mmCIF file of all heavy atoms in Angstrom:
data_model
loop_
_atom_site.group_PDB
_atom_site.id
_atom_site.type_symbol
_atom_site.label_atom_id
_atom_site.label_comp_id
_atom_site.label_asym_id
_atom_site.label_seq_id
_atom_site.Cartn_x
_atom_site.Cartn_y
_atom_site.Cartn_z
ATOM 1 N N GLN A 12 20.833 -8.064 -23.834
ATOM 2 C CA GLN A 12 22.207 -7.551 -23.829
ATOM 3 C C GLN A 12 22.288 -6.281 -22.992
ATOM 4 O O GLN A 12 21.286 -5.559 -22.825
ATOM 5 C CB GLN A 12 22.672 -7.264 -25.252
ATOM 6 C CG GLN A 12 22.931 -8.515 -26.083
ATOM 7 C CD GLN A 12 23.577 -8.194 -27.416
ATOM 8 O OE1 GLN A 12 23.345 -7.137 -27.992
ATOM 9 N NE2 GLN A 12 24.394 -9.112 -27.914
ATOM 10 N N ALA A 13 23.473 -6.016 -22.496
ATOM 11 C CA ALA A 13 23.690 -4.787 -21.742
ATOM 12 C C ALA A 13 23.261 -3.589 -22.595
ATOM 13 O O ALA A 13 23.541 -3.535 -23.800
ATOM 14 C CB ALA A 13 25.154 -4.664 -21.355
ATOM 15 N N GLY A 14 22.580 -2.652 -21.941
ATOM 16 C CA GLY A 14 22.057 -1.486 -22.642
ATOM 17 C C GLY A 14 20.628 -1.664 -23.129
ATOM 18 O O GLY A 14 19.990 -0.691 -23.559
ATOM 19 N N GLY A 15 20.138 -2.878 -23.061
ATOM 20 C CA GLY A 15 18.793 -3.162 -23.527
ATOM 21 C C GLY A 15 17.724 -2.826 -22.511
ATOM 22 O O GLY A 15 18.014 -2.290 -21.423
ATOM 23 N N SER A 16 16.478 -3.154 -22.860
ATOM 24 C CA SER A 16 15.336 -2.821 -22.020
ATOM 25 C C SER A 16 14.419 -4.026 -21.834
ATOM 26 O O SER A 16 14.357 -4.910 -22.699
ATOM 27 C CB SER A 16 14.519 -1.683 -22.647
ATOM 28 O OG SER A 16 15.275 -0.504 -22.764
ATOM 29 N N LEU A 17 13.727 -4.029 -20.725
ATOM 30 C CA LEU A 17 12.683 -5.015 -20.456
ATOM 31 C C LEU A 17 11.560 -4.337 -19.687
ATOM 32 O O LEU A 17 11.803 -3.381 -18.939
ATOM 33 C CB LEU A 17 13.218 -6.181 -19.621
ATOM 34 C CG LEU A 17 14.078 -7.244 -20.306
ATOM 35 C CD1 LEU A 17 14.635 -8.208 -19.268
ATOM 36 C CD2 LEU A 17 13.291 -7.999 -21.360
ATOM 37 N N ARG A 18 10.358 -4.851 -19.848
ATOM 38 C CA ARG A 18 9.221 -4.377 -19.062
ATOM 39 C C ARG A 18 8.621 -5.569 -18.327
ATOM 40 O O ARG A 18 8.112 -6.495 -18.953
ATOM 41 C CB ARG A 18 8.165 -3.736 -19.951
ATOM 42 C CG ARG A 18 7.040 -3.054 -19.166
ATOM 43 C CD ARG A 18 5.878 -2.736 -20.066
ATOM 44 N NE ARG A 18 4.938 -1.787 -19.459
ATOM 45 C CZ ARG A 18 3.659 -1.690 -19.829
ATOM 46 N NH1 ARG A 18 3.193 -2.461 -20.792
ATOM 47 N NH2 ARG A 18 2.872 -0.814 -19.236
ATOM 48 N N LEU A 19 8.694 -5.516 -17.033
ATOM 49 C CA LEU A 19 8.124 -6.562 -16.205
ATOM 50 C C LEU A 19 6.704 -6.191 -15.814
ATOM 51 O O LEU A 19 6.380 -5.013 -15.634
ATOM 52 C CB LEU A 19 8.959 -6.779 -14.943
ATOM 53 C CG LEU A 19 10.456 -7.003 -15.130
ATOM 54 C CD1 LEU A 19 11.113 -7.296 -13.787
ATOM 55 C CD2 LEU A 19 10.739 -8.093 -16.130
ATOM 56 N N SER A 20 5.866 -7.211 -15.681
ATOM 57 C CA SER A 20 4.484 -7.020 -15.240
ATOM 58 C C SER A 20 4.207 -7.949 -14.069
ATOM 59 O O SER A 20 4.784 -9.035 -13.969
ATOM 60 C CB SER A 20 3.504 -7.342 -16.369
ATOM 61 O OG SER A 20 3.713 -6.527 -17.492
ATOM 62 N N CYS A 21 3.310 -7.532 -13.212
ATOM 63 C CA CYS A 21 2.885 -8.379 -12.101
ATOM 64 C C CYS A 21 1.387 -8.193 -11.920
ATOM 65 O O CYS A 21 0.933 -7.092 -11.588
ATOM 66 C CB CYS A 21 3.627 -8.028 -10.826
ATOM 67 S SG CYS A 21 3.079 -8.960 -9.372
ATOM 68 N N VAL A 22 0.652 -9.259 -12.171
ATOM 69 C CA VAL A 22 -0.796 -9.233 -12.003
ATOM 70 C C VAL A 22 -1.125 -9.793 -10.620
ATOM 71 O O VAL A 22 -0.634 -10.857 -10.240
ATOM 72 C CB VAL A 22 -1.493 -10.065 -13.089
ATOM 73 C CG1 VAL A 22 -3.005 -10.032 -12.884
ATOM 74 C CG2 VAL A 22 -1.131 -9.550 -14.473
ATOM 75 N N VAL A 23 -1.941 -9.061 -9.898
ATOM 76 C CA VAL A 23 -2.276 -9.421 -8.520
ATOM 77 C C VAL A 23 -3.753 -9.752 -8.413
ATOM 78 O O VAL A 23 -4.593 -9.050 -8.990
ATOM 79 C CB VAL A 23 -1.925 -8.260 -7.573
ATOM 80 C CG1 VAL A 23 -2.201 -8.660 -6.118
ATOM 81 C CG2 VAL A 23 -0.475 -7.847 -7.739
ATOM 82 N N SER A 24 -4.061 -10.797 -7.681
ATOM 83 C CA SER A 24 -5.456 -11.161 -7.436
ATOM 84 C C SER A 24 -5.648 -11.486 -5.962
ATOM 85 O O SER A 24 -4.698 -11.812 -5.257
ATOM 86 C CB SER A 24 -5.857 -12.356 -8.297
ATOM 87 O OG SER A 24 -5.057 -13.476 -8.007
ATOM 88 N N GLY A 25 -6.903 -11.359 -5.522
ATOM 89 C CA GLY A 25 -7.218 -11.715 -4.147
ATOM 90 C C GLY A 25 -7.214 -10.569 -3.160
ATOM 91 O O GLY A 25 -7.456 -10.772 -1.965
ATOM 92 N N ILE A 26 -6.896 -9.366 -3.637
ATOM 93 C CA ILE A 26 -6.913 -8.188 -2.777
ATOM 94 C C ILE A 26 -7.576 -7.035 -3.526
ATOM 95 O O ILE A 26 -7.776 -7.115 -4.731
ATOM 96 C CB ILE A 26 -5.493 -7.741 -2.361
ATOM 97 C CG1 ILE A 26 -4.665 -7.369 -3.602
ATOM 98 C CG2 ILE A 26 -4.800 -8.811 -1.545
ATOM 99 C CD1 ILE A 26 -3.369 -6.644 -3.293
ATOM 100 N N THR A 27 -7.895 -5.975 -2.787
ATOM 101 C CA THR A 27 -8.350 -4.740 -3.424
ATOM 102 C C THR A 27 -7.085 -3.993 -3.833
ATOM 103 O O THR A 27 -6.523 -3.211 -3.065
ATOM 104 C CB THR A 27 -9.197 -3.912 -2.455
ATOM 105 O OG1 THR A 27 -10.296 -4.710 -1.995
ATOM 106 C CG2 THR A 27 -9.735 -2.663 -3.160
ATOM 107 N N PHE A 28 -6.650 -4.240 -5.053
ATOM 108 C CA PHE A 28 -5.332 -3.820 -5.518
ATOM 109 C C PHE A 28 -5.089 -2.336 -5.314
ATOM 110 O O PHE A 28 -4.025 -1.925 -4.863
ATOM 111 C CB PHE A 28 -5.211 -4.171 -7.005
ATOM 112 C CG PHE A 28 -3.914 -3.770 -7.632
ATOM 113 C CD1 PHE A 28 -2.776 -4.551 -7.458
ATOM 114 C CD2 PHE A 28 -3.824 -2.631 -8.423
ATOM 115 C CE1 PHE A 28 -1.575 -4.191 -8.044
ATOM 116 C CE2 PHE A 28 -2.629 -2.266 -9.015
ATOM 117 C CZ PHE A 28 -1.503 -3.040 -8.817
ATOM 118 N N SER A 29 -6.081 -1.525 -5.610
ATOM 119 C CA SER A 29 -5.900 -0.072 -5.567
ATOM 120 C C SER A 29 -5.636 0.451 -4.156
ATOM 121 O O SER A 29 -5.171 1.580 -3.987
ATOM 122 C CB SER A 29 -7.122 0.626 -6.155
ATOM 123 O OG SER A 29 -8.285 0.278 -5.424
ATOM 124 N N SER A 30 -5.905 -0.350 -3.150
ATOM 125 C CA SER A 30 -5.743 0.093 -1.764
ATOM 126 C C SER A 30 -4.332 -0.123 -1.224
ATOM 127 O O SER A 30 -4.018 0.342 -0.121
ATOM 128 C CB SER A 30 -6.731 -0.644 -0.848
ATOM 129 O OG SER A 30 -8.063 -0.353 -1.194
ATOM 130 N N TYR A 31 -3.507 -0.815 -1.966
ATOM 131 C CA TYR A 31 -2.202 -1.215 -1.463
ATOM 132 C C TYR A 31 -1.053 -0.578 -2.233
ATOM 133 O O TYR A 31 -1.150 -0.346 -3.440
ATOM 134 C CB TYR A 31 -2.049 -2.731 -1.520
ATOM 135 C CG TYR A 31 -2.909 -3.459 -0.530
ATOM 136 C CD1 TYR A 31 -4.218 -3.816 -0.853
ATOM 137 C CD2 TYR A 31 -2.431 -3.787 0.728
ATOM 138 C CE1 TYR A 31 -5.021 -4.472 0.058
ATOM 139 C CE2 TYR A 31 -3.222 -4.446 1.651
ATOM 140 C CZ TYR A 31 -4.514 -4.790 1.307
ATOM 141 O OH TYR A 31 -5.308 -5.447 2.208
#
Side-chain angles (χ1 to χ4, degrees):
Q12 289 188 329
S16 298
L17 284 173
R18 188 194 195 203
L19 308 184
S20 300
C21 176
V22 180
V23 183
S24 60
I26 61 168
T27 303
F28 179 80
S29 59
S30 297
Y31 290 87

